[in-house]
Amino acid sequence: MGTRQYVIRKIVQAFVTLLAILIFNFFLFRVWSPGDPVSFLTRGQGFNLSLEERAAVIEEYGLDKSTWGQFTEYMKDTFTGKLGVSSFYQGESVMAIFFRFLTPTLLLVGISTMISMVVGIWMGIRSGWRRGSKFDRGSMFFSLILYSMPEFWLGMLLLMLFSSQLGWFPVGGRVSTNVSSMGTLEYFTDVAEHLFLPVLTLALGYLGEFYLLMRSSLLDVLGEDYITTARAKGVLERNVLNRHAVRNALLPTVTLIALSFGYVIGGAITVEVVFSYQGLGLLTYTAIVAKDYWLLQGLFLFFSLAVIAFNLVSDLVYAYLDPRVREA
Amino acid sequence: MQPPPLHVGAEPPPQPVLEEEPPPPPGSPRHIAWARRRAAVRQFWAAYRKDKMGLAGLSILLVFIAVAIYAVFADDTGLSITEATGPRLDPPSLEYPFGTDIQGRSVFTLTLHGSKISLLVGLSATVITMVIGSAVGLIAGFRGGWIDQLLMRITDWGLVIPWLMLAISLAAIFGQSLFVIILVIGLTTWPSTARLVRSQTLSVRERPYVERSRALGASNWHLVSRHVLPNVMPVIMANTVLIVAIAILSETALSFLGLGDPLGKSWGSILERASDGGAATRGAWWWLGAPGLCIVLVVLAFTMIGFALDQIINPRLRER
């Protein structure tokens, strides 16, 4: 199969997945949810509907139609970006709220994934290359402990130690209230100070996964014939590692970056709650506590969409890096 | 009829006539099968005993199981807020070994009783995961064709949905109860198991003894239950242990977000209250410490056992 067909097939698959998620989302929040959809979707705090408002909601989202009618309405609304209004945020559209909270989470998740990836891969290479060494056993133990730890618990411990006791970092939030002017150095350092502990927590939390995968992937590669061949023809050990082993061992790790994104989001939810960091995770928590189901279903959709997109990108990158995938 | 020569490591051929007769006479296929099973268990234990990590995990786990069983019979009046007699937020002392929480309850008592719920949820959710994951994986791998295609598509969707988001939505919509939590965790963790079981089934399906049994006229049910499943079982077992770890962590995360056990007894719920009560900002390390450490230890124990099992089962890993 050619590259073109491969790319097209992957894109079509992503769309089918998206469709499945949309159907599931519809059933979850509209059909399987208890009670009638109007009061279910709008029963959040401080949002009592008058009869006229109720009728308007029914009219706008076609909630009085049959299941199929509602479904087509829902699909139309979703694709035109009409995701309903939040009850907690007094009628603000879910789309607008989402974009307000998006950047902080991108910053948090992006930086921490980068750090855990770089450090995890480096540790994995060192560990796998010198299997059974002190470094190997030490980092194996360390990453198993980190893997077994709920991220939010780690976050609470760091918060207690570095913010409450030592006072090195602010106790939470995204930016101090007294710093108003965006773009200044003061603003930048303030944001960085608020980011430090959540980033550290998430980076430590996901270090183990990258480390374990890189280590086992390198060990797999080291058993291959071409490594023996490289050694037999006198390639320097350093070059065997860098030019032959690591390059091939990196492949599965590339896919993990995309797959772990769904898990990173999960971690981000609890960690943002611990640090009161105003991102999508805290927004999700708000939606749960306030029973704001328009918001919750919008977030569910956004997160799923993000994972689908990341998976597609990883499939394409993988195919680009490893021609065998395209041929198969 | 003399039983035909057996393959090494293979199940005996079907002998339905002898199936009903306990105890099996020496030399019968059933007798041989049981002897071989006992030998396999002994061999397995001998390999497991050499794994320090696995033994450490098993010891930790046994301690926690003993604690949980003790907790079932232990006095739980200390859990009630109205009956709490201790001082508020008191650091560890002789009377309160893990200190007290903001309502004056002993964190030791809370943690002790939390072990029941956390283990119960972890183990029950794993059962659901295993049943769904194994069934889907076995059917998809054994039947192949369009059934395989369809099941794997659904599995892919399950892998794509961010699990915590899905769990949150399900728990938020269907309300809080221990049953919902168990169901939610089970329903969100099966896809990876299904993939694993399917790939193992695919390899077992092609083995000569399966072909031979099929040639002798064995039904699909017989092939799956007598040949495929027993050989996929070790992989399922190792995966099960790792899934328990994930299930316990999931329960903790859900409880922390206020979607867990409505009675609020699990370790995750203790941490939720500690977070709400400002344990971190008040420096009440004991309130966070005990339940958190228990979670880490139990998850670590399951993970270590899982890794050890993986190494014994997977010959490719053994040389590492």
Side-chain angles (χ1 to χ4, degrees):
Chain A
M1 196 195 337
T3 311
R4 227 178 94 120
Q5 276 127 305
Y6 176 83
V7 171
I8 291 172
R9 199 182 54 159
K10 283 293 162 192
I11 292 174
V12 169
Q13 274 182 3
F15 266 99
V16 173
T17 309
L18 177 64
L19 200 65
I21 300 276
L22 281 172
I23 296 171
F24 181 74
N25 197 19
F26 172 78
F27 273 90
L28 190 57
F29 284 91
R30 298 278 179 90
V31 182
W32 296 333
S33 54
D36 83 300
V38 187
S39 46
F40 176 76
L41 286 166
T42 55
R43 76 172 166 199
Q45 298 166 349
F47 198 60
N48 288 323
L49 294 181
S50 66
L51 276 175
E52 293 84 57
E53 283 170 329
R54 196 184 143 86
V57 172
I58 293 175
E59 175 67 30
E60 201 175 349
Y61 297 99
L63 295 177
D64 54 346
K65 294 181 183 161
S66 66
T67 308
W68 175 249
Q70 279 193 48
F71 180 69
T72 49
E73 192 88 5
Y74 161 82
M75 291 299 269
K76 210 177 77 200
D77 285 349
T78 307
F79 278 105
T80 51
K82 216 170 89 183
L83 293 173
V85 290
S86 156
S87 53
F88 182 78
Y89 288 95
Q90 270 109 45
E92 202 181 339
S93 89
V94 168
M95 205 68 161
I97 299 168
F98 172 76
F99 281 114
R100 205 141 46 81
F101 283 82
L102 176 65
T103 332
T105 296
L106 282 183
L107 215 58
L108 172 67
V109 169
I111 298 175
S112 45
T113 309
M114 279 306 216
I115 295 174
S116 53
M117 188 174 80
V118 171
V119 179
I121 288 177
W122 175 80
M123 278 170 61
I125 292 172
R126 236 194 111 171
S127 218
W129 186 242
R130 297 261 174 267
R131 181 160 54 96
S133 67
K134 221 176 224 171
F135 179 85
D136 183 31
R137 276 175 294 157
S139 36
M140 192 78 189
F141 183 69
F142 178 64
S143 43
L144 273 182
I145 300 257
L146 283 180
Y147 173 84
S148 309
M149 217 177 256
E151 299 91 31
F152 64 87
W153 187 64
L154 178 64
M156 282 159 97
L157 292 184
L158 292 174
L159 180 74
M160 183 163 65
L161 183 63
F162 291 111
S163 299
S164 317
Q165 302 299 311
L166 296 172
W168 292 357
F169 295 101
V171 283
R174 195 176 72 76
V175 65
S176 307
T177 41
N178 54 356
V179 182
S180 55
S181 45
M182 273 173 91
T184 59
L185 184 69
E186 193 196 359
Y187 179 81
F188 179 78
T189 44
D190 188 66
V191 168
E193 272 180 359
H194 282 87
L195 257 175
F196 188 87
L197 286 181
V199 163
L200 181 67
T201 310
L202 273 186
L204 282 173
Y206 293 103
L207 187 66
E209 267 177 85
F210 283 102
Y211 163 78
L212 288 172
L213 189 78
M214 190 63 205
R215 180 179 178 275
S216 74
S217 158
L218 188 72
L219 285 173
D220 273 349
V221 168
L222 286 177
E224 297 279 347
D225 289 342
Y226 57 79
I227 298 293
T228 319
T229 311
R231 281 187 173 140
K233 72 180 185 189
V235 175
L236 284 175
E237 277 295 284
R238 193 182 60 218
N239 290 342
V240 170
L241 176 65
N242 293 332
R243 299 214 182 133
H244 295 257
V246 169
R247 280 183 176 210
N248 286 294
L250 272 174
L251 283 173
T253 320
V254 172
T255 18
L256 178 76
I257 297 167
L259 285 177
S260 73
F261 192 76
Y263 287 88
V264 175
I265 291 168
I269 295 175
T270 52
V271 169
E272 282 184 12
V273 171
V274 169
F275 291 100
S276 329
Y277 185 83
Q278 286 100 345
L280 292 174
L282 196 63
L283 189 64
T284 309
Y285 183 66
T286 311
I288 300 168
V289 174
K291 296 198 188 311
D292 188 339
Y293 291 109
W294 274 126
L295 194 53
L296 195 60
Q297 75 143 357
L299 286 166
F300 184 77
L301 208 56
F302 288 127
F303 283 136
S304 307
L305 189 64
V307 179
I308 295 173
F310 268 78
N311 273 320
L312 180 62
V313 170
S314 103
D315 277 342
L316 299 182
V317 170
Y318 200 76
Y320 172 75
L321 293 176
D322 189 348
R324 283 173 304 183
V325 176
R326 270 173 284 165
E327 307 302 324
Chain B
M1 191 182 80
Q2 278 294 310
L6 298 164
H7 288 275
V8 177
E11 288 286 289
Q15 292 285 329
V17 189
L18 294 172
E19 212 67 27
E20 312 299 325
E21 294 173 17
S28 74
R30 224 165 110 83
H31 182 85
I32 295 172
W34 275 107
R36 202 186 292 123
R37 272 175 209 147
R38 275 195 302 272
V41 169
R42 269 198 305 274
Q43 205 184 338
F44 172 80
W45 177 241
Y48 191 88
R49 265 172 59 185
K50 290 195 196 110
D51 197 307
K52 274 185 205 148
M53 198 166 80
L55 277 186
L58 193 62
S59 323
I60 300 173
L61 184 62
L62 288 176
V63 170
F64 273 98
I65 288 176
V67 167
I69 292 172
Y70 171 73
V72 173
F73 302 105
D75 175 32
D76 63 353
T77 46
L79 294 182
S80 156
I81 298 170
T82 47
E83 316 231 346
T85 48
R88 294 179 169 204
L89 281 181
D90 203 36
S93 59
L94 275 179
E95 197 181 351
Y96 300 103
F98 293 168
T100 60
D101 74 352
I102 203 158
Q103 271 123 6
R105 290 178 294 180
S106 163
V107 177
F108 177 80
T109 315
L110 291 174
T111 310
L112 174 70
H113 287 280
S115 63
K116 285 183 294 193
I117 307 294
S118 292
L119 281 176
L120 174 75
V121 172
L123 294 172
S124 321
T126 305
V127 171
I128 297 178
T129 305
M130 282 305 130
V131 170
I132 301 179
S134 307
V136 169
L138 273 174
I139 294 170
F142 191 76
R143 294 299 294 268
W146 67 270
I147 296 177
D148 182 27
Q149 292 275 322
L150 179 73
L151 289 177
M152 281 304 107
R153 231 20 342 195
I154 296 172
T155 308
D156 281 346
W157 295 334
L159 282 173
V160 164
I161 300 178
W163 74 268
L164 187 58
M165 229 18 233
L166 176 61
I168 285 172
S169 305
L170 289 172
I173 288 174
F174 295 111
Q176 281 179 305
S177 76
L178 218 48
F179 180 69
V180 169
I181 294 305
I182 291 169
L183 208 62
V184 159
I185 298 172
L187 287 178
T188 47
T189 44
W190 65 267
S192 59
T193 305
R195 290 236 121 188
L196 191 76
V197 172
R198 175 179 172 268
S199 69
Q200 186 69 12
T201 307
L202 282 177
S203 101
V204 171
R205 194 181 66 167
E206 302 304 326
R207 289 184 191 166
Y209 55 81
V210 178
E211 205 183 322
R212 182 180 158 278
S213 183
R214 196 196 297 275
L216 287 173
S219 65
N220 276 344
W221 171 249
H222 178 91
L223 288 176
V224 170
S225 62
R226 286 303 165 90
H227 297 285
V228 178
L229 188 59
N231 286 288
V232 177
M233 214 54 195
V235 173
I236 298 181
M237 292 315 277
N239 186 245
T240 305
V241 177
L242 290 174
I243 292 285
V244 180
I246 294 175
I248 290 176
L249 281 178
S250 306
E251 189 275 334
T252 312
L254 283 175
S255 294
F256 180 72
L257 294 173
L259 293 168
D261 168 24
L263 296 173
K265 284 181 186 167
S266 77
W267 289 329
S269 313
I270 303 176
L271 288 179
E272 184 214 353
R273 276 194 308 274
S275 173
D276 285 349
T281 42
R282 290 163 196 258
W285 52 269
W286 55 91
W287 194 4
L288 295 175
L293 266 182
C294 287
I295 295 167
V296 174
L297 281 174
V298 168
V299 174
L300 191 65
F302 278 110
T303 310
M304 290 197 296
I305 296 171
F307 273 42
L309 290 179
D310 234 4
Q311 292 210 345
I312 295 169
I313 292 159
N314 195 339
R316 216 164 50 95
L317 288 172
R318 208 180 295 172
E319 54 208 55
R320 281 183 195 162

